[in-house]
Amino acid sequence: MRTYQPSEIEPKWQAVWQERRMHRTDEDRDKPKFYALEQFPYPSGEGLHMGHVRVYTIGDVIARFKRMNGYRVLHPMGADAFGLPAENAAIQRGVNPREWTLKNMKRIREEQARLGVSYDWERYVGTCLPDYYKLTQWLFLLFYERGLAYRKKAAVNWCPTCNTVLANEQVEDGLCWRCDTEVTKKELEQWFLRITDYADRLLEGLDRLPKWPEKVKAMQRNWIGRSEGAHVTFTIPELDHEKVTVFTTRPDTLFGVTYLVLAPEHPLVPKLIRGKENESVIADFIERMRKESEITRTAADAEKVGYFTGAFAQHPLTGENVPIWVANYVLMDYGTGAVMGVPAHDERDFLFARKYDLPIRVVIRPEEGDTDELTEAYTGEGKLVNSGDFSGLNNREAIKAIARHLEEKGLGGPTVNYRLRDWLISRQRYWGCPIPIIYCDDCGIVPVPKEHLPVLLPEDVVFDGKRNPLTTSESFVNTECPRCGKSARRETDTMDTFIDSSWYFFRYTDAHNEDMPFDPDKVKEWLPVDEYIGGIEHAVLHLLYSRFFTKVLYDAGLVPVDEPFTSLLTQGMVLKDGAKMSKSKGNVVSPMDIVEKYGADTARMFILFAAPPDRDLEWSDAGVEGSYRFLNRVWRMVEQHASLFEQRPAPDTTSKEAQELNRLRHRTVKKVTEDVNDRYHFNTAISAIMELVNGIYAYPEDADRGTLADAIETVVLLLAPFAPHITEELWQRMGHQDSVHAQSWPTFDPAALVQNEVEIAVQINGKVRDKVVVPAEADKSEVEALVMKLDRIQTLLEGKTVRKVIVVPRKLVNIVVN
Ligand code: ANZ
Ligand code: ZN
């Protein structure tokens, strides 16, 4: 008998599969399509970690399962290969970012191959390769033509460590998403994509994604932050009745306004403070605020700081003059950058008014209780008071009534505001996709003509960590204006790498197209992605940006869907000793070490068996050992019975044992099929296979051999998506020439599931006390023995003497006691 040696059979089969081009995408149009996609990795210098192994294994089981179920499957892989670490390696170690990245890409690919994942390598994409980024530039130009890419000067997020700007989505709790440095603000002229144009559609689309986790949809809704409210326009008499408009979600509180607050950066502030007492204090304050991030300024526990400008504004309905303040908690970037202060009904305003001794005016009263002695803002519902003609209205109605009234009078009106900001995509870094724009003194901003693409990254650059390396390349910066031919300058910023990953899933459908990002007909063949597997950390980054890109490409008539991912599976983390595996915690288990020691099949089995895909998974050496033992058990099972398959006997299920094994086999097929399909409960599917293996080991030597052969074959087929190498080897051992992965998924016969069992009543002295299921053909003494073992009956019989046991076959058992 041969022993199980994964280190021999795994590389052998990987080579055979590769040679036979087994994982090339099946283009048979008669089959239904399935697009299984795992988020592609960033090729860091460290190779794969367990998190990667988990995602790829999950995706691979789905892809293989679907293939065996008659689908043509697209299952591609690539590398998200632009990004900062390559450039930092260049600065620190003096290596070329391109060579460094290509080396890492190669290594990651090799490691992925060693896991036995069934990717169609012929569709591999690397976002840093010129044939790919040429088309990223092509898409930028499409956005530009459609008015969706624009340049503007703005106070933007700046990471002093990464030396570059960041999109709002890349600032987490005030810190850089990549390096955790506190983000500051900087005034810069930058490129933006107009994602805000799509805010409503990005919201609406979420309602059409029932197979996305609620949590991810909630995070996106919250990020987009749609809020209905009103604009209200005040005037400033001393500035020749210049207007200042506020955004409020509570126009019903308009009569409770006792002051206005402007953001320090509000353009009116300098005019308001000119010549006033606080002028220089406020000017200093503005300078400080310009550098502080929103998060720091608006944190709930942050001290609210404000200054009276010395100017007043006129209330649009009462004509009253209210003081105008500037304060840290009002952001220029939200609404209109100006708010009306209603201390009686807004918590923040209440604290502010208390601190600076501003009047508090109640305009909403609850149905019960009073608001005479406010100790905090009253933010609930109620009736309007002190509100002119609107007094007496319920405040819900008043929100609409006052907004409408303002509109009629030309003093504002209903409006919708979003938290979402346009996507800032310029990066002052080298290792990214160059923005294909040229600046000409005469022609202004000139897009690079599509036929001149790609704008290649130059090699003659200096990496000193002090400036954007692209600005150091004379050959890159100096160019000619494509319009007038005069000398001109190239844009030196590169694109946010999230742009590269916003369209890669389209590229896989047509990975070698040199002229277009893809042929729309090919996209039509495959999109949408049927199952997308990746981390929750991309909930409002990659997943929002990809949805945005898809909608723009849909509008341009290039893709047939406006939502790219039908179903989203966010896998849990891989933990060790209760904490996420990470280098800093020193609790990392190297995937390749595990593959070396036990084989990829064991690693895959362990990961799939230890937890359902969306839950966190605790690494366990004992668990890995257990998976390895199980595969050995499967191996021996086939080896022991290998001769059975030389001349396969026809099954005969007349004996009780054969009937039972046959039933167990069908039950297992049903369970595994249902668990894998849709639910992706791989762990319970694997347990069911383990039970079948136990059933085979317990099967008597003299029982029907044909039934046994069927059961063994079923184990190998059911296990194929999970442990592809060992099953392939065993399949050959069973005498087959073709691949186990090219077989049809086993089916089950509902008739074989019917159990030959009956439920009978158990009585004590004629009273029904319990029920029990027994084999239909069990004889009287077998039934009696089963009944006497029941917990409930044993308890009830305690201290009693059994006089007689009456068994009525297939009906009941009556125990007579006294
Ligand atoms: C008056 C008022 C009275 C408000 C009241 C609330 C309660 P959401 O829901 O997040 O959209 N606000 C508006 N622009 C702001 C800015 N640039 N910086 C800081 N705060 C701003 O919140 C909208 C509310 O946040 C607005 O409604 C405004 O305060 C404040 F009883 O106006 B409210
Ligand atoms: Zn940073």
Side-chain angles (χ1 to χ4, degrees):
M1 202 160 79
R2 301 185 312 157
T3 54
Y4 173 41
Q5 279 183 341
S7 58
E8 269 172 33
I9 63 167
E10 292 189 353
K12 177 181 87 182
W13 285 113
Q14 283 159 16
V16 172
W17 294 335
Q18 170 84 15
E19 190 188 311
R20 292 190 195 156
R21 300 168 91 181
M22 278 264 303
H23 304 138
R24 265 176 93 197
T25 308
D26 183 348
E27 305 271 9
D28 181 352
R29 304 282 161 83
D30 292 338
K31 295 180 179 175
K33 70 98 182 173
F34 194 92
Y35 188 172
L37 182 64
E38 296 113 60
Q39 274 169 8
F40 62 168
Y42 176 75
S44 76
E46 272 109 49
L48 297 183
H49 56 65
M50 277 302 167
H52 290 122
V53 178
R54 191 170 189 200
V55 189
Y56 306 147
T57 304
I58 292 167
D60 196 44
V61 173
I62 296 171
R64 289 181 185 275
F65 176 80
K66 289 289 175 186
R67 285 194 201 101
M68 289 178 83
N69 279 277
Y71 288 81
R72 65 187 156 100
V73 173
L74 175 57
H75 189 216
M77 187 35 71
D80 188 11
F82 271 138
L84 263 186
E87 205 167 329
N88 290 340
I91 295 165
Q92 280 150 21
R93 280 170 260 168
V95 292
N96 180 302
R98 185 166 50 82
E99 274 160 31
W100 186 85
T101 305
L102 292 179
K103 192 179 87 210
N104 295 341
M105 282 163 75
K106 182 163 171 281
R107 169 170 169 192
I108 296 252
R109 252 179 95 146
E110 282 163 6
E111 295 189 1
Q112 287 170 327
R114 286 184 69 189
L115 296 173
V117 187
S118 61
Y119 294 129
D120 180 351
W121 290 115
E122 291 169 37
R123 292 170 187 254
Y124 186 81
V125 306
T127 59
C128 68
L129 304 173
D131 68 335
Y132 186 91
Y133 76 70
K134 166 182 171 178
L135 298 161
T136 304
Q137 292 171 343
W138 191 101
L139 288 169
F140 175 90
L141 295 174
L142 177 87
F143 275 64
Y144 184 77
E145 285 158 17
R146 299 181 71 82
L148 295 170
Y150 67 96
R151 204 168 138 82
K152 103 178 157 187
K153 187 163 183 166
V156 296
N157 306 305
W158 176 263
C159 173
T161 303
C162 297
N163 249 317
T164 184
V165 302
L166 299 169
N168 284 359
E169 288 80 4
Q170 292 161 343
V171 182
E172 292 165 357
D173 297 331
L175 307 179
C176 169
W177 70 297
R178 191 190 294 285
C179 71
D180 281 347
T181 303
E182 187 155 345
V183 170
T184 61
K185 287 262 154 185
K186 217 174 177 175
E187 281 274 325
L188 284 173
E189 183 134 349
Q190 301 282 285
W191 284 94
F192 290 84
L193 295 189
R194 224 179 275 283
I195 190 171
T196 52
D197 270 14
Y198 285 75
D200 266 326
R201 284 169 67 190
L202 287 166
L203 273 179
E204 176 276 324
L206 293 173
D207 299 334
R208 288 183 280 121
L209 297 173
K211 288 168 139 194
W212 275 44
E214 278 310 321
K215 187 177 166 195
V216 173
K217 288 190 278 187
M219 285 166 82
Q220 291 209 359
R221 285 194 188 103
N222 188 43
W223 184 260
I224 295 166
R226 183 178 200 274
S227 111
E228 285 184 14
H231 279 153
V232 187
T233 304
F234 291 68
T235 52
I236 305 168
E238 68 188 70
L239 287 186
D240 202 14
H241 292 278
E242 193 157 334
K243 292 181 170 129
V244 54
T245 298
V246 304
F247 169 69
T248 177
T249 44
R250 295 290 306 274
D252 53 326
T253 64
L254 184 52
F255 288 81
V257 174
T258 56
Y259 61 96
L260 292 191
V261 192
L262 306 187
E265 308 90 330
H266 196 288
L268 276 177
V269 174
K271 289 197 219 168
L272 291 174
I273 60 174
R274 193 163 302 144
K276 300 269 167 56
E277 201 183 314
N278 268 341
E279 182 170 6
S280 65
V281 185
I282 295 180
D284 283 354
F285 177 62
I286 297 172
E287 273 323 298
R288 259 182 290 135
M289 288 304 117
R290 275 192 204 285
K291 292 189 203 97
E292 229 176 71
S293 79
E294 278 101 358
I295 314 278
T296 326
R297 272 168 58 175
T298 54
D301 53 356
E303 174 79 9
K304 283 155 195 61
V305 182
Y307 296 92
F308 175 43
T309 59
F312 292 85
Q314 198 174 28
H315 190 289
L317 299 187
T318 66
E320 193 184 349
N321 275 336
V322 295
I324 305 177
W325 286 63
V326 287
N328 59 345
Y329 72 87
V330 176
L331 303 175
M332 194 55 226
D333 213 18
Y334 189 75
T336 60
V339 306
M340 57 188 216
V342 187
H345 303 292
D346 181 84
E347 281 162 25
R348 222 166 29 178
D349 295 349
F350 187 84
L351 295 174
F352 193 76
R354 274 281 168 93
K355 179 169 175 186
Y356 293 108
D357 219 6
L358 291 156
I360 298 174
R361 186 177 303 157
V362 172
V363 290
I364 291 171
R365 281 251 159 85
E367 299 291 338
E368 275 158 40
D370 60 54
T371 40
D372 299 341
E373 292 290 322
L374 280 185
T375 51
E376 57 179 1
Y378 175 67
T379 57
E381 313 263 292
K383 272 209 160 51
L384 264 64
V385 294
N386 302 325
S387 296
D389 292 347
F390 299 95
S391 294
L393 275 184
N394 158 301
N395 80 298
R396 298 250 123 234
E397 297 163 51
I399 288 180
K400 290 192 202 115
I402 294 181
R404 232 179 294 127
H405 180 74
L406 290 168
E407 189 164 42
E408 280 159 17
K409 299 259 159 178
L411 300 167
T415 186
V416 176
N417 191 56
Y418 297 90
R419 214 175 88 94
L420 184 69
R421 295 283 84 112
D422 276 343
W423 177 9
L424 165 48
I425 59 149
S426 308
R427 295 291 178 274
Q428 291 70 46
R429 302 300 305 231
Y430 170 79
W431 193 235
C433 175
I435 295 174
I437 290 287
I438 290 167
Y439 301 103
C440 167
D441 286 340
D442 290 350
C443 308
I445 296 178
V446 183
V448 174
K450 282 189 177 153
E451 56 279 13
H452 291 184
L453 298 181
V455 176
L456 286 171
L457 282 170
E459 299 279 326
D460 56 340
V461 290
V462 180
F463 295 102
D464 57 11
K466 295 196 191 100
R467 57 208 147 147
N468 175 355
L470 279 179
T471 59
T472 67
S473 165
E474 296 285 322
S475 67
F476 182 82
V477 174
N478 300 320
T479 184
E480 268 171 20
C481 172
R483 226 165 259 168
C484 70
K486 286 213 194 103
S487 63
R489 283 168 304 112
R490 242 182 233 294
E491 170 65 67
T492 51
D493 285 350
T494 53
M495 295 182 214
D496 182 358
T497 58
F498 277 101
I499 294 199
D500 310 329
S501 53
S502 292
W503 71 279
Y504 80 111
F505 45 91
F506 293 120
R507 180 68 176 169
Y508 285 135
T509 66
D510 191 14
H512 304 291
N513 196 324
E514 288 177 12
D515 311 314
M516 296 257 292
F518 45 79
D519 173 350
D521 285 337
K522 297 212 167 149
V523 168
K524 217 164 163 178
E525 280 287 310
W526 290 107
L527 268 284
V529 172
D530 296 281
E531 193 63 60
Y532 195 26
I533 306 144
I536 186 100
E537 67 273 17
H538 288 300
V540 284
L541 287 159
H542 167 59
L543 290 169
L544 186 67
Y545 295 146
S546 299
R547 295 183 57 229
F548 165 50
F549 255 65
T550 303
K551 288 179 194 302
V552 173
L553 296 180
Y554 175 82
D555 289 351
L558 292 171
V559 305
V561 292
D562 74 339
E563 284 294 339
F565 314 125
T566 303
S567 179
L568 175 70
L569 179 64
T570 48
Q571 92 281 359
M573 288 187 293
V574 181
L575 312 176
K576 184 155 183 245
D577 311 323
K580 182 177 177 172
M581 269 192 196
S582 73
K583 259 205 337 205
S584 59
K585 295 208 186 68
N587 61 352
V588 173
V589 178
S590 146
M592 289 305 120
D593 287 353
I594 297 292
V595 169
E596 210 126 281
K597 190 162 172 209
Y598 298 99
D601 284 343
T602 292
R604 294 169 59 120
M605 287 292 286
F606 165 71
I607 279 186
L608 294 165
F609 184 57
D614 55 345
R615 301 281 182 78
D616 287 350
L617 173 162
E618 176 77 42
W619 185 265
S620 140
D621 295 333
V624 177
E625 288 280 350
S627 291
Y628 185 61
R629 273 199 308 276
F630 171 67
L631 290 181
N632 269 288
R633 204 165 142 76
V634 172
W635 178 274
R636 285 195 308 272
M637 173 188 81
V638 176
E639 279 291 321
Q640 254 169 38
H641 298 289
S643 62
L644 260 188
F645 295 91
E646 282 159 23
Q647 264 190 321
R648 181 104 167 246
D652 170 0
T653 56
T654 44
S655 75
K656 197 173 134 196
E657 290 84 3
Q659 196 176 58
E660 246 167 41
L661 183 60
N662 191 50
R663 188 164 54 235
L664 178 60
R665 176 167 78 87
H666 284 275
R667 214 167 58 202
T668 308
V669 172
K670 178 172 191 282
K671 168 100 179 126
V672 175
T673 309
E674 288 171 358
D675 282 355
V676 174
N677 214 6
D678 294 333
R679 304 197 320 132
Y680 302 146
H681 280 191
F682 309 124
N683 55 334
T684 51
I686 292 173
S687 315
I689 300 173
M690 289 173 169
E691 274 176 47
L692 178 55
V693 172
N694 290 343
I696 291 169
Y697 270 95
Y699 190 67
E701 296 240 351
D702 54 357
D704 177 60
R705 301 286 89 185
T707 307
L708 176 65
D710 282 358
I712 292 172
E713 184 184 83
T714 300
V715 167
V716 173
L717 287 168
L718 292 181
L719 213 48
F722 303 94
H725 310 87
I726 187 175
T727 49
E728 187 75 302
E729 178 74 17
L730 294 176
W731 188 250
Q732 310 304 309
R733 183 78 172 123
M734 286 157 57
H736 300 282
Q737 301 290 313
D738 53 354
S739 168
V740 71
H741 303 293
Q743 307 306 309
S744 291
W745 187 249
T747 53
F748 62 91
D749 175 7
L753 296 172
V754 176
Q755 297 223 353
N756 264 332
E757 282 173 342
V758 288
E759 190 183 60
I760 60 167
V762 184
Q763 299 177 336
I764 296 179
N765 289 351
K767 262 203 181 132
V768 176
R769 295 298 190 178
D770 206 352
K771 290 202 162 117
V772 63
V773 175
V774 299
E777 59 279 75
D779 62 24
K780 284 189 182 188
S781 61
E782 282 171 351
V783 173
E784 182 178 333
L786 280 170
V787 165
M788 295 313 252
K789 268 194 240 152
L790 297 173
D791 285 346
R792 186 167 151 76
I793 297 303
Q794 281 190 353
T795 319
L796 289 169
L797 290 183
E798 239 161 63
K800 306 230 161 75
T801 319
V802 177
R803 290 279 153 226
K804 197 159 59 170
V805 179
I806 304 159
V807 179
V808 184
R810 292 169 184 267
K811 284 238 162 64
L812 64 82
V813 174
N814 186 15
I815 306 166
V816 184
V817 300
N818 58 10

